[in-house]
Amino acid sequence: MHTVGKYIYDPNRLIFYQNGYDTQTVEKIIKPNDHYESLFEKLSAYNADEIQIKPGALHRAGICLTNNCNFRCNYCVDSSVDGNEELLTIEDIIVFVSDVMKRWTINKLLGRAEEPLRLNFTGGGEPTYNWNLFTNAVLQIRQKCLDNNISFHLGITTNGLLDDLQRVFIAKKCDSVMVSYDGIPEIQERNRLCVHDSRTSESVEETIRFFSKVPINLTVRTTIWQSDFCRLKEIADYVFGNFGTSVEWSILPVIPTGRAMNRVRKEHEKFSKSDFLTSYLNFVEYARDKYGSVSISTPVFQGTLNTFYCGAISVYSGCPWLMPDRTIITCIESCDVKTTIGKIEGNEVVYFEKCADPLFKVYQQKFDECRSCIAYRFCKGGCPVRHLANRNARTTMDDWECTMIQKYWTYIFENILEGKECLGWCVKPVEIDGLEGIEVLKLTKV
């Protein structure tokens, strides 16, 4: 239980009731709930070092074509370069997609036919680095789905350094595109270095403008160093002023992995004192006041109730990723520590019978450590990959993110308890038998 102003928050039932009610009234409000205790027992029964793999139904999967990249972003999680010899073949891709299609069909038979099969091209490298492989994969996947009457959604994450022919192909053959762009030319060219071109902003901006004018779902992803948090309003004016207010904009603070780790280790005290939450809330309010209903989000603050932090926790379904070395893993963000569930071998998908699952082990630990936290129902202990990345060099960045997420949800609760809608949430009154006149409010998505 948590106190928020004059209310008590019960995270088990997502309700608020006024502080000061007598014990009998509180017992009728909260009712016995051993959900977390039973779930903890079930979680504890799993040996994360030896998880049985039982591939099941799914509706999404990902493909990392290559680890090669023409950019040298100073915060790259994978520290990607050129010259990686591992590269998928079109045969590998089709074998993987054929297996995914079978499992999507199971999903359909289970009654989730509304969900298309979502396939995404992204990864440690640039998906368009080998343009012939990318186009061949897209064309063959589309045809295979059409031949088998499977509804599909193809997405790509790209650094945006594309020519006109490439833009046209993606617009015609893909359904969504995320373009990485760091907000304004000065920051872009400082952070996202290119081995072939010292000034990338002009070309990437042209890519964003092109996609903003065609029928494709467009997201602009801005990765931002802590020293630039204070410039979010300036960046918002540049993004919406140049690309229009229909652009979906996602902001991600730099996290201490990959190339960013050395800098964060050197300056972690400075970084841990930076205030992303205040900057984010202020600039979201500023942007919406100035530009109206604009789409702004950040992966740091998850906006839904979750069973797990993400699909990477589940070796049964989730979102399997085919990697350039032909292994199949559960999380595209994992670099040094992966959960590998299978591979392409002999022209077929081979899933292992068992695997060690370090991501699930983190979830087990965080369930025990964090379930009393005010934010646990939403963040589920945070990203297991980031926890693992810092396990041998823990910095105050871990506490920084955790504290920030707690403050974020406290801010939402304080506002909605004053009768306001806040960042997509509100409260609605609920009635409880035998408790007429007692105020109980339910946390609700707007």
Side-chain angles (χ1 to χ4, degrees), residues 409-429:
W409 286 103
T410 300
Y411 170 85
I412 290 177
F413 293 164
E414 288 173 346
N415 277 271
I416 62 178
L417 290 171
E418 292 179 0
K420 308 171 187 175
E421 291 184 1
C422 184
L423 297 170
W425 296 90
C426 65
V427 287
K428 293 183 178 180

Side-chain angles (χ1 to χ4, degrees), residues 262-388:
N262 289 336
R263 178 174 171 182
V264 170
R265 282 175 176 169
K266 292 177 182 177
E267 305 178 24
H268 70 271
E269 290 294 340
K270 181 174 71 175
F271 285 90
S272 66
K273 293 176 182 177
S274 58
D275 190 354
F276 176 70
L277 175 60
T278 300
S279 299
Y280 178 76
L281 294 175
N282 286 342
F283 110 86
V284 168
E285 182 178 359
Y286 165 82
R288 289 176 178 167
D289 284 346
K290 185 170 183 177
Y291 298 103
S293 180
V294 289
S295 179
I296 302 171
S297 64
T298 174
V300 175
F301 306 129
Q302 301 215 7
T304 57
L305 290 166
N306 296 302
T307 302
F308 299 114
Y309 175 82
C310 65
I313 306 297
S314 173
V315 299
Y316 302 117
S317 52
C319 179
W321 284 91
L322 177 62
M323 303 303 290
D325 63 358
R326 297 175 179 77
T327 60
I328 301 171
I329 65 174
T330 61
C331 176
I332 190 62
E333 301 292 340
S334 56
C335 299
D336 299 327
V337 182
K338 300 180 176 69
T339 298
T340 304
I341 59 175
K343 59 183 178 179
I344 304 293
E345 186 176 64
N347 206 32
E348 65 177 335
V349 174
V350 178
Y351 286 104
F352 305 142
E353 292 184 4
K354 296 180 180 180
C355 73
D357 192 348
L359 306 185
F360 184 75
K361 179 178 285 189
V362 170
Y363 178 74
Q364 288 177 311
Q365 295 167 348
K366 290 298 175 180
F367 184 91
D368 191 32
E369 294 174 9
C370 303
R371 58 180 171 145
S372 62
C373 172
I374 194 170
Y376 182 72
R377 288 295 302 273
F378 310 93
C379 83
K380 291 298 180 179
C383 174
V385 172
R386 295 207 288 275
H387 290 306
L388 287 169

Side-chain angles (χ1 to χ4, degrees), residues 100-371:
V100 168
M101 287 169 58
K102 292 177 184 176
R103 294 170 64 188
W104 178 88
T105 303
I106 296 173
N107 206 37
K108 182 177 180 179
L109 294 174
L110 291 175
R112 296 191 286 266
E114 303 83 12
E115 299 179 89
L117 173 57
R118 293 181 175 271
L119 292 167
N120 289 296
F121 292 93
T122 186
E126 165 60 30
T128 65
Y129 187 91
N130 185 317
W131 181 248
N132 289 335
L133 177 62
F134 171 71
T135 56
N136 196 7
V138 167
L139 293 174
Q140 291 207 36
I141 289 171
R142 287 180 60 88
Q143 191 60 52
K144 193 169 184 64
C145 287
L146 292 170
D147 290 344
N148 288 275
N149 197 29
I150 291 178
S151 59
F152 62 92
H153 179 110
L154 294 184
I156 176 177
T157 299
T158 174
N159 60 30
L161 199 62
L162 307 170
D163 60 31
D164 287 337
L165 290 177
Q166 292 172 318
R167 294 169 187 145
V168 169
F169 178 87
I170 291 172
K172 288 184 176 180
K173 302 302 181 182
C174 294
D175 303 287
S176 63
V177 58
M178 176 181 283
V179 180
S180 298
Y181 185 69
D182 286 353
I184 57 179
E186 171 206 336
I187 298 177
Q188 166 80 4
E189 287 157 13
R190 183 204 318 149
N191 294 344
R192 299 182 59 77
L193 309 175
C194 177
V195 294
H196 309 301
D197 188 354
S198 60
R199 294 182 56 82
T200 62
S201 58
E202 185 175 341
S203 178
V204 178
E205 286 186 8
E206 183 59 34
T207 293
I208 296 172
R209 290 191 189 94
F210 176 88
F211 288 132
S212 70
K213 297 174 183 177
V214 299
I216 191 171
N217 295 323
L218 168 65
T219 301
V220 175
R221 163 62 62 83
T222 295
T223 305
I224 185 166
W225 281 100
Q226 283 73 4
S227 55
D228 291 322
F229 289 170
C230 61
R231 303 182 68 180
L232 279 171
K233 291 181 182 179
E234 175 189 355
I235 298 172
D237 285 335
Y238 193 90
V239 169
F240 293 125
N242 283 276
F243 309 133
T245 56
S246 62
V247 170
E248 181 179 344
W249 187 24
S250 176
I251 302 104
L252 176 66
V254 169
I255 56 177
T257 56
R259 290 196 185 107
M261 178 61 84
N262 289 336
R263 178 174 171 182
V264 170
R265 282 175 176 169
K266 292 177 182 177
E267 305 178 24
H268 70 271
E269 290 294 340
K270 181 174 71 175
F271 285 90
S272 66
K273 293 176 182 177
S274 58
D275 190 354
F276 176 70
L277 175 60
T278 300
S279 299
Y280 178 76
L281 294 175
N282 286 342
F283 110 86
V284 168
E285 182 178 359
Y286 165 82
R288 289 176 178 167
D289 284 346
K290 185 170 183 177
Y291 298 103
S293 180
V294 289
S295 179
I296 302 171
S297 64
T298 174
V300 175
F301 306 129
Q302 301 215 7
T304 57
L305 290 166
N306 296 302
T307 302
F308 299 114
Y309 175 82
C310 65
I313 306 297
S314 173
V315 299
Y316 302 117
S317 52
C319 179
W321 284 91
L322 177 62
M323 303 303 290
D325 63 358
R326 297 175 179 77
T327 60
I328 301 171
I329 65 174
T330 61
C331 176
I332 190 62
E333 301 292 340
S334 56
C335 299
D336 299 327
V337 182
K338 300 180 176 69
T339 298
T340 304
I341 59 175
K343 59 183 178 179
I344 304 293
E345 186 176 64
N347 206 32
E348 65 177 335
V349 174
V350 178
Y351 286 104
F352 305 142
E353 292 184 4
K354 296 180 180 180
C355 73
D357 192 348
L359 306 185
F360 184 75
K361 179 178 285 189
V362 170
Y363 178 74
Q364 288 177 311
Q365 295 167 348
K366 290 298 175 180
F367 184 91
D368 191 32
E369 294 174 9
C370 303
R371 58 180 171 145

Side-chain angles (χ1 to χ4, degrees), residues 427-440:
V427 287
K428 293 183 178 180
V430 294
E431 295 183 2
I432 297 178
D433 292 340
L435 291 179
E436 291 75 13
I438 298 298
E439 184 183 31
V440 180

